[in-house]
Amino acid sequence: MYGKTKAGVSLPVLVDPIGKVITVDDFSQAVLEGNCYYGANQTGCVWTVELATTYTGLCVSNPIGSGKNMLLWYAGYSEIVAPTGIADAWIALGYHASTNVVAGAAGTARNLKAGGAAGKGQVWTGATLPVAPTYAFPIINGHTSAALSTTGVPGLVRIHGALSPGGFAIIANFTIGAAVGAKGAILWQEIDA
């Protein structure tokens, strides 16, 4: 089997001394190509409880007509003050074919390659969602300041998901954050739809 460069030039596959194929991590390569982005809260906020369509926290969306798919690679959530109720954070996904997420408070999508161009994905710290999202997978286990550990949870976890145009993802929280709030981050790659 042979590999090819982006220009289409055929090259032999690289192997290590014991014959295993050497590859570049897909995410690292996409970052180098300038196709990876992130959205993150820059200040703590009070998060919406569960799956309401009027949402505060962190939302990333793929606008209708963007011509891109957003491959979700990583997500994370951190609390500044331990909650009083059980806190559990999940990625929740939603899609609407004809209505985009509406800004309440716009965030900034940034390229993971410093100095790279802006992408199509949008970031919101407050938004009106066109439909209620559904839970997809957890990114932080449940805990409280009194009952369970408030430390030792992953800060950023690998996820596998994708948003077609009209899709959106939020970090859903089961408890309202403390007054000083919490912060989240979602990292994605954009490829042609």
Side-chain angles (χ1 to χ4, degrees):
M1 179 175 203
Y2 292 89
K4 289 186 178 182
T5 67
K6 280 184 84 171
V9 177
S10 294
L11 298 172
V13 173
L14 295 175
V15 294
D16 68 13
I18 62 169
K20 292 188 341 188
V21 174
I22 298 171
T23 62
V24 174
D25 177 306
D26 291 340
F27 185 73
S28 298
Q29 184 62 37
V31 169
L32 288 173
E33 293 172 358
N35 298 326
C36 290
Y37 309 89
Y38 70 95
N41 299 89
Q42 299 303 302
T43 59
C45 68
V46 176
W47 290 61
T48 298
V49 175
E50 300 202 22
L51 302 174
T53 55
T54 301
Y55 174 78
T56 58
L58 182 67
C59 172
V60 298
S61 66
N62 189 357
I64 296 165
S66 71
K68 299 288 182 181
N69 283 315
M70 293 171 57
L71 304 179
L72 303 177
W73 282 89
Y74 295 93
Y77 176 81
S78 69
E79 294 164 335
I80 299 166
V81 172
T84 55
I86 293 176
D88 195 18
W90 284 60
I91 291 293
L93 303 173
Y95 171 80
H96 198 283
S98 60
T99 305
N100 280 316
V101 171
V102 178
T108 302
R110 293 180 170 89
N111 197 310
L112 278 166
K113 182 178 182 182
K120 300 289 186 180
Q122 297 175 326
V123 176
W124 314 98
T125 57
T128 300
L129 309 175
V131 295
T134 57
Y135 294 113
F137 38 84
I139 59 172
I140 187 173
N141 57 338
H143 66 279
T144 70
S145 58
L148 302 170
S149 173
T150 58
T151 61
V153 294
L156 193 65
V157 296
R158 176 103 186 231
I159 59 175
H160 296 280
L163 303 177
S164 52
F168 62 91
I170 67 167
I171 296 178
N173 189 335
F174 288 95
T175 315
I176 294 177
V180 293
K183 293 181 183 178
I186 300 176
L187 288 66
W188 71 89
Q189 176 184 1
E190 294 183 6
I191 60 172
D192 291 336

